[in-house]
Structures are given as structure tokens and as C-alpha cells.
Amino acid sequence: MRFHNHRAIPYFTFVGLDTYPGLRHAVLTRLGGVSPAPWDSLNLGWTVGDSREHVETNYRLWAEVFGLRRQDLTTTWQVHGNRVLVADADHYGGSLGQADALITATPFVPLVQRYADCTPILLYDPVRHACGIAHAGWQGTASRCAEATVRAMSEAFGSDPADLSVGIGPAIGPCCYEVGADVIAAIRASHRQTDRILLPASRPDKAYLDLWQANAAQLHEAGVRHIEIAGLCTACRRDLFFSHRGDGGRSGRFGAFIMLADR
């Protein structure tokens, strides 16, 4: 990933996605907002205890940096599943409903999701000029949300998975994400090979889960060939990102967005 130390709102972009002039995207950090601790400072989560005034101010601040209108930001009520919603000229702005992924082929509709250890997944089809964004924690990964998003783009826009360029953003890494028997069973049931996904832990009933590789494996199996993995652990880099586990369950949410522009 490429870091942009913007004076107001620092952010990251994917090197691969940066090559497309018809696409705008960013993974935000926790920096540049107005929220107090423990949500300091660019918290975009409405349901974590921060005041709505702070959250709305944070949305306006980062939207202004990218020349976006707050009312155009399009998101979902994230529920840790694999449902994908389509945003278009008649359905955008605010929350479109309960889902963990959004796709669009309509220019100037900014798709937004929020994270605090779960995996940001940004997708672009330069042939069909369509894009998507997904949110995958262990439950979304077990329900193969990344694969569902690729399939939804194929069904809605005729996207060929081989044409897609995908970025897998900062999430809790295998260095920090120790999981128990229920998560291990769910990942084993939903993935063909888990040797690179479930890594040994000190206790036999535990494992370290690699969300980056799990989602990359789904994308590969779906036919995606161009995948960039940020490799940034949110629990290790709490100076830059919110981490639900790293912050002891009391944390904000950082955002990511993707939007089509004119080609």
C-alpha cells in the first residue's frame, strides 16, 4: 500500500488500484478526527459509544478531503455475513440495508464500509468499469463474503473475475489473531486448504487465523488473478488503526471507500 500523509486526513491507497484513472479509493486511518478517547480520533462507528455529533463531524471532515458530499456516502448496516447489495443512480446515499458488501457500476457513488480488525476488500473491474467493497471478519470470511462479492459483480455487471483488481486492506494479522475451536471449525468447513490460514498456536485447541490469506484464497478460487495484500496488522498498528481486540473491545471504526469516476 501507499501512505498519503495528508495534513488533515492521512490515508492509504493500493498501488495496483492507483493505476486506474477512472477509480478513486482510500483506506482511512484513525487519525484526523474529533472524537475523544477511546475513539480517538476519526471514529466512523455510530454504535460504539461515541456521540453522533462527533461521528458526523468525522464523516464530513474526510468527505471534504476527497471532494465528496456527505449525503452521497453509501454504506450498509454491517452484520458479519455475505449479503451483497447493488448501489445505482436510484439507490445510493446513507445505508442501503443489512449487508457486508456493496457493488456499483454507477459513477460518483462512493461506497463506504467500516472496520476495526475485520478485513477491507476493495474490487475494481476496469473492463466493465464497476467496483465493490466488502467487510470480512472471521464470520464473513467463513461465509465467503469475498467470493460472494466477486460472484455478485459477475451476475450484475458481467464482470470476468480474471479482469478484477482487488486490494485486501489492513486487518488483524495472524501474529495477533488467536481463535478457538468454534472459529477453527467454521474456517475448516468453508475453505478447501487451511494450512496457510490456520497456523499453530501454543495450545492444541487454539490457532492463529490469517484473514488476509483466507480471503486471498477465496478470491483465487473465484478466478481473481490480481490481488494486493496490505499486510498491515490493526492490532500491531493501533497508532494508525482501530482494533477491537487490541483496544480491549472498546474502540472506534476506521473507514474505506471506493468510487467510480469518469474514464
Side-chain angles (χ1 to χ4, degrees):
M1 296 191 83
R2 180 178 288 126
F3 180 61
H4 303 263
N5 193 17
H6 189 279
R7 59 181 176 79
I9 305 290
Y11 62 94
F12 287 86
T13 58
F14 289 100
V15 175
L17 295 180
D18 277 341
T19 62
Y20 300 105
L23 186 73
R24 301 184 66 191
H25 77 285
V27 176
L28 305 173
T29 72
R30 68 184 295 163
L31 307 176
V34 300
S35 296
W39 312 285
D40 47 322
S41 62
L42 193 68
N43 169 46
L44 301 180
W46 294 284
T47 61
V48 295
D50 195 4
S51 76
R52 188 168 188 87
E53 179 182 359
H54 290 150
V55 176
E56 284 302 315
T57 298
N58 290 338
Y59 271 95
R60 288 195 299 274
L61 287 171
W62 80 258
E64 288 172 1
V65 166
F66 294 95
L68 305 175
R69 299 190 307 172
R70 169 67 182 96
Q71 62 265 33
D72 291 339
L73 303 182
T74 304
T75 189
T76 66
W77 177 1
Q78 296 167 198
V79 291
H80 298 282
N82 63 2
R83 188 183 182 204
V84 184
L85 297 180
V86 179
D88 56 30
D90 297 319
H91 302 88
Y92 75 96
S95 176
L96 299 189
Q98 294 188 12
D100 285 272
L102 282 163
I103 60 175
T104 191
T106 303
F108 305 111
V109 174
L111 308 180
V112 182
Q113 295 284 51
R114 298 159 304 283
Y115 309 89
D117 287 341
C118 296
T119 316
I121 303 168
L122 279 63
L123 311 91
Y124 178 55
D125 178 354
V127 176
R128 299 288 183 173
H129 198 45
C131 68
I133 188 169
H135 159 268
W138 78 261
Q139 290 168 294
T141 300
S143 64
R144 301 183 71 88
C145 185
E147 180 184 62
T149 308
V150 173
R151 186 169 60 249
M153 291 183 68
S154 296
E155 293 172 354
F157 312 130
S159 294
D160 182 342
D163 293 330
L164 297 180
S165 182
V166 181
I168 296 176
I172 190 167
C175 48
C176 296
Y177 197 23
E178 187 179 54
V179 297
D182 56 337
V183 178
I184 294 170
I187 295 298
R188 283 180 174 162
S190 60
H191 289 74
R192 297 174 187 173
Q193 296 181 337
T194 59
D195 290 348
R196 296 180 61 194
I197 297 172
L198 293 169
L199 308 177
S202 58
R203 292 173 287 178
D205 59 336
K206 302 288 185 179
Y208 286 98
L209 173 58
D210 191 332
L211 291 172
W212 307 326
Q213 290 299 328
N215 284 285
Q218 290 178 35
L219 293 166
H220 277 300
E221 291 169 11
V224 178
R225 297 293 174 259
H226 309 288
I227 303 170
E228 179 180 344
I229 300 176
L232 289 169
C233 173
T234 48
C236 289
R237 295 305 311 269
R238 290 164 56 207
D239 57 320
L240 287 173
F241 303 104
F242 294 111
S243 170
H244 180 76
R245 179 168 290 202
D247 293 332
R250 190 163 168 79
S251 185
R253 301 292 183 267
F254 67 92
F257 91 96
I258 192 166
M259 183 184 77
L260 303 172
D262 285 335
R263 290 196 285 185

